[in-house]
């Protein structure tokens, strides 16, 4: 397994994948678990629960400020019952506005506040990422991971390294299928895919001229 963390993580991962054709594409992934954990934490804070009570948030796309943190399919445990995050919060404007920008810009905000990167949070996210590859995801739960987009069921162009919701079993990831994508989500998912396609083009132009 090859896990890329250094930014631009998605495009660096795609470059590594292209540079090592003898290694299966499926063995390459990049870290969007830090964003995934931040999205869970924002929901938990808002609802006064722990991050462990929140599951199935999704980070779509690039580990950048165009990433799309999506809680359309997320669940939260409240008073012993699992409910949808949208139903629990009843605050669509926050979920479609401030929540998204907070997660997108959290890394920059941490650096601005601390004058240091969020190294410990990243280390924790790497541990989560590796643990789930090794031991698999719990039944009924999925996590976010930057993986090759080939053959995905969500209309994301092939040959990008794009973050999807995945389940993992026997050290093999599988993109979660059958999730409903509304128009709001579609626009956000396409925007981050466009950025990744542009990054890829720039990176490969540079590599071909090197």
């Amino acid at each position: 397994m090859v896990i890329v963390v250094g930014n631009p993580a998605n495009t660096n991962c795609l470059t590594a994948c292209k540079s090592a054709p003898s290694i299966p594409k499926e063995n390459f992934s990049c870290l969007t678990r830090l964003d995934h954990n931040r999205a869970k934490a924002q929901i938990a804070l808002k609802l006064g629960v722990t991050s462990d009570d929140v599951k199935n948030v999704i980070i779509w796309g690039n580990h950048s400020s165009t990433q799309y943190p999506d809680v359309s399919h997320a669940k939260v445990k409240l008073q012993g019952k699992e409910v949808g995050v949208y139903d629990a919060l009843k605050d669509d404007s926050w979920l479609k506005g401030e929540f998204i920008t907070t997660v997108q810009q959290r890394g920059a905000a941490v650096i601005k506040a601390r004058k240091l990167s969020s190294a410990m949070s990243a280390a924790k996210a790497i541990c989560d990422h590796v643990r789930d590859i090794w031991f698999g995801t719990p039944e009924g739960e999925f996590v976010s991971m930057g993986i090759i987009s080939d053959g995905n069921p969500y209309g994301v162009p092939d040959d990008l390294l794009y973050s999807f919701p995945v389940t993992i079993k026997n050290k093999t990831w599988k993109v979660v299928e059958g999730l409903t994508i509304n128009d709001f989500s579609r626009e956000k998912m396409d925007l981050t895919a466009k950025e990744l396609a542009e990054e890829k083009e720039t990176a490969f132009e540079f590599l071909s001229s090197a």
Side-chain angles (χ1 to χ4, degrees), residues 134-203:
W134 197 255
F135 294 109
T137 46
E139 194 65 37
E141 288 191 35
F142 48 78
V143 295
S144 304
M145 190 179 282
I147 53 171
I148 195 71
S149 61
D150 296 3
N152 74 87
Y154 294 107
V156 175
D158 286 351
D159 208 34
L160 295 177
L161 217 296
Y162 190 99
S163 181
F164 289 96
V166 299
T167 54
I168 305 166
K169 194 174 182 181
N170 300 325
K171 302 184 179 63
T172 303
W173 55 257
K174 184 177 187 296
V175 175
V176 176
E177 296 183 2
L179 299 175
T180 309
I181 306 297
N182 60 26
D183 291 345
F184 179 83
S185 294
R186 181 79 265 161
E187 188 181 330
K188 299 281 187 194
M189 290 164 68
D190 290 348
L191 183 73
T192 192
K194 182 172 180 283
E195 181 184 57
L196 281 169
E198 289 166 358
E199 276 188 20
K200 171 187 159 184
E201 193 179 334
T202 303

Side-chain angles (χ1 to χ4, degrees), residues 3-5 9-10 29-35 63 122 125-126 129 146:
I3 299 156
V4 177
V5 178
N10 299 60
S29 60
C30 79
L31 192 75
T32 56
R33 188 59 171 268
L34 179 53
D35 311 301
H63 174 63
I126 295 164
H129 183 108

Side-chain angles (χ1 to χ4, degrees), residues 20-198:
S22 63
I23 301 173
K25 289 179 184 178
E26 295 76 23
N27 288 20
F28 288 85
S29 60
C30 79
L31 192 75
T32 56
R33 188 59 171 268
L34 179 53
D35 311 301
H36 180 99
N37 289 349
R38 285 169 172 163
K40 283 176 64 172
Q42 289 300 315
I43 298 299
L45 275 170
K46 193 82 169 169
L47 287 167
V49 298
T50 70
S51 285
D52 288 341
D53 291 322
V54 182
K55 71 176 189 181
N56 297 354
V57 304
I58 302 168
I59 302 297
W60 298 99
N62 199 2
H63 174 63
S64 75
S65 60
T66 68
Q67 64 174 265
Y68 171 41
D70 177 16
V71 293
S72 308
H73 309 280
K75 306 273 187 200
V76 59
K77 197 183 286 179
L78 287 176
Q79 294 155 350
K81 283 200 297 197
E82 267 191 7
V83 291
V85 164
Y86 266 86
D87 293 334
L89 271 171
K90 297 181 176 61
D91 191 348
D92 289 19
S93 62
W94 182 78
L95 285 169
K96 290 183 171 182
E98 190 184 334
F99 162 71
I100 291 173
T101 53
T102 298
V103 177
Q104 287 173 333
Q105 297 165 15
R106 185 67 182 158
V110 169
I111 290 168
K112 190 176 176 185
R114 296 183 66 230
K115 310 291 185 277
L116 295 165
S117 72
S118 51
M120 192 60 77
S121 301
K124 165 71 165 61
I126 295 164
C127 290
D128 292 343
H129 183 108
V130 172
R131 183 195 65 224
D132 285 343
I133 289 173
W134 197 255
F135 294 109
T137 46
E139 194 65 37
E141 288 191 35
F142 48 78
V143 295
S144 304
M145 190 179 282
I147 53 171
I148 195 71
S149 61
D150 296 3
N152 74 87
Y154 294 107
V156 175
D158 286 351
D159 208 34
L160 295 177
L161 217 296
Y162 190 99
S163 181
F164 289 96
V166 299
T167 54
I168 305 166
K169 194 174 182 181
N170 300 325
K171 302 184 179 63
T172 303
W173 55 257
K174 184 177 187 296
V175 175
V176 176
E177 296 183 2
L179 299 175
T180 309
I181 306 297
N182 60 26
D183 291 345
F184 179 83
S185 294
R186 181 79 265 161
E187 188 181 330
K188 299 281 187 194
M189 290 164 68
D190 290 348
L191 183 73
T192 192
K194 182 172 180 283
E195 181 184 57
L196 281 169
E198 289 166 358

